[in-house]
Amino acid sequence: QVQLVESGGGSVQAGGSLRLSCAASGYTISNYCMGWFRQAPGKEREGVAAIYTGGGSTYYADSVKGRFTISHDNAENTLYLQMNSLKPEDTAMYYCAAVRSYCSGGFADLQEYEYNYWGQGTRVTVSS
């Protein structure tokens, strides 16, 4: 019933930009903590950014702070991740996640165990 579908991934050169989208169905995103995660080959899945869709704080991993921006459009029931100044180390599968809860506003929002709804992922490849 609840479904998250990511889109917007692709291949870009270092320094380029991508805008990822996460379209939600089966529920409205206005009362959810939602986040973006990524996983590169051979590495653990890591939290990238989180936001409470009802308003409030955002939280970013240090590795993307100043380059990535998480946002949402409740009317479109969609979560976004604007990625600028991309680096080769940003190459990964990117996943959208959600939980019907307030975000804590801190590190816990980037922990995958906090979320119970997940998308299938969209691939981002950044080349030198």
Side-chain angles (χ1 to χ4, degrees), residues 2 4 32-33 97-101 112-119:
V2 176
L4 303 173
Y32 285 75
C33 180
V99 61
R100 191 178 180 183
S101 175
E112 61 180 310
Y113 60 78
E114 294 288 339
Y115 298 86
N116 60 344
Y117 301 121
W118 291 85

Side-chain angles (χ1 to χ4, degrees), residues 27 34 65:
Y27 75 104
M34 299 189 70
K65 194 173 298 182

Side-chain angles (χ1 to χ4, degrees), residues 33-37 49-51 70 79 95-98 109-110 115 118:
C33 180
M34 299 189 70
W36 287 97
F37 292 76
I51 189 170
I70 188 171
L79 180 76
Y95 300 89
C96 173
D109 297 334
L110 301 183
Y115 298 86
W118 291 85

Side-chain angles (χ1 to χ4, degrees), residues 47-116:
V48 174
I51 189 170
Y52 177 59
T53 57
S57 63
T58 58
Y59 192 79
Y60 296 91
D62 289 341
S63 59
V64 307
K65 194 173 298 182
R67 299 188 297 121
F68 291 10
T69 302
I70 188 171
S71 63
H72 66 94
D73 186 335
N74 289 346
E76 297 294 328
N77 218 37
T78 301
L79 180 76
Y80 302 98
L81 184 68
Q82 179 67 46
M83 305 186 295
N84 298 326
S85 301
L86 283 163
K87 304 175 181 179
E89 50 263 46
D90 295 319
T91 296
M93 285 289 293
Y94 282 73
Y95 300 89
C96 173
V99 61
R100 191 178 180 183
S101 175
Y102 293 101
C103 293
S104 68
F107 179 75
D109 297 334
L110 301 183
Q111 305 304 301
E112 61 180 310
Y113 60 78
E114 294 288 339
Y115 298 86
N116 60 344

